[in-house]
Amino acid sequence: MTTAPVPESRVYRHLKCGGDTIVNGDAFESMSNPFANMSRTWCTTCNGFYRVAEYEWSDTGEKLTDYYARHGTGATSFQRFVCSRSVGIIGMIIGLVLGLVAGNYLLLNQPQGMRFLFTLFGGFVGVLIVVMSQAELQKLIARRVCGVRDTRLLT
Ligand SMILES: [Zn+2]
């Protein structure tokens, strides 16, 4: 593993307009991760979201979809499954239901209005927990498969 500092940003190019967009922070972390299921991203020139297949990294000229395929190669089918969008969606539904039930039962003897709000809040928390857990798993699996401590180090 390299000890090089984690880059803060990277530039990608929209093939259609040739415009460059700088990505940094959490967005860069997700975008650099081949297991994060990025589907669309922003172009500052066109002021819109487009499919990742329409972009390349400006520094290497590699299409984002090729980059994801290349770095994702070493994953097992189980690792791919855990990171997949279907698991994310099913997980969110389960999280929502469990959260709604928990929120509803926690305030069983409280006034209806308060119970209703708490039920909604429970559902929201349930979904949030699932989304955050899958994001962490995607990072963990990417680090293991790609052999880096941060996917922003990948080129
Ligand atoms: Zn563009």
Side-chain angles (χ1 to χ4, degrees), residues 14 17 19 43 45-46 50:
H14 189 201
C17 71
C43 171
T45 306
C46 300
Y50 304 94

Side-chain angles (χ1 to χ4, degrees), residues 103-104 106-122:
N104 188 43
L106 278 174
L107 295 191
L108 207 53
N109 301 316
Q110 300 298 316
Q112 278 298 330
M114 186 140 162
R115 220 178 132 190
F116 178 70
L117 284 181
F118 212 72
T119 300
L120 289 185
F121 180 70

Side-chain angles (χ1 to χ4, degrees), residues 13-19 21 42-48 50 55:
R13 181 174 299 130
H14 189 201
L15 296 166
K16 198 172 137 206
C17 71
T21 300
W42 182 255
C43 171
T44 48
T45 306
C46 300
N47 265 320
Y50 304 94
Y55 296 86

Side-chain angles (χ1 to χ4, degrees), residues 35-139:
F35 300 100
N37 296 319
M38 289 286 295
S39 55
R40 288 168 176 270
T41 192
W42 182 255
C43 171
T44 48
T45 306
C46 300
N47 265 320
F49 280 102
Y50 304 94
R51 291 179 303 115
V52 289
E54 296 183 29
Y55 296 86
E56 65 183 12
W57 291 116
S58 302
D59 49 3
T60 57
E62 184 177 26
K63 285 187 73 176
L64 290 187
T65 43
D66 292 341
Y67 163 94
Y68 292 144
R70 183 165 59 86
H71 286 296
T73 304
T76 64
S77 46
F78 179 69
Q79 287 170 325
R80 281 180 205 287
F81 175 71
V82 168
C83 295
S84 70
R85 203 169 282 138
S86 330
V87 164
I89 291 167
I90 293 164
M92 274 192 269
I93 294 168
I94 294 171
L96 175 70
V97 171
L98 291 180
L100 289 172
V101 170
N104 188 43
Y105 277 87
L106 278 174
L107 295 191
L108 207 53
N109 301 316
Q110 300 298 316
Q112 278 298 330
M114 186 140 162
R115 220 178 132 190
F116 178 70
L117 284 181
F118 212 72
T119 300
L120 289 185
F121 180 70
F124 171 75
V125 171
V127 171
L128 198 68
I129 289 172
V130 170
V131 169
M132 287 168 66
S133 307
Q134 197 191 26
E136 282 311 306
L137 280 171
Q138 286 168 343
K139 285 184 208 171

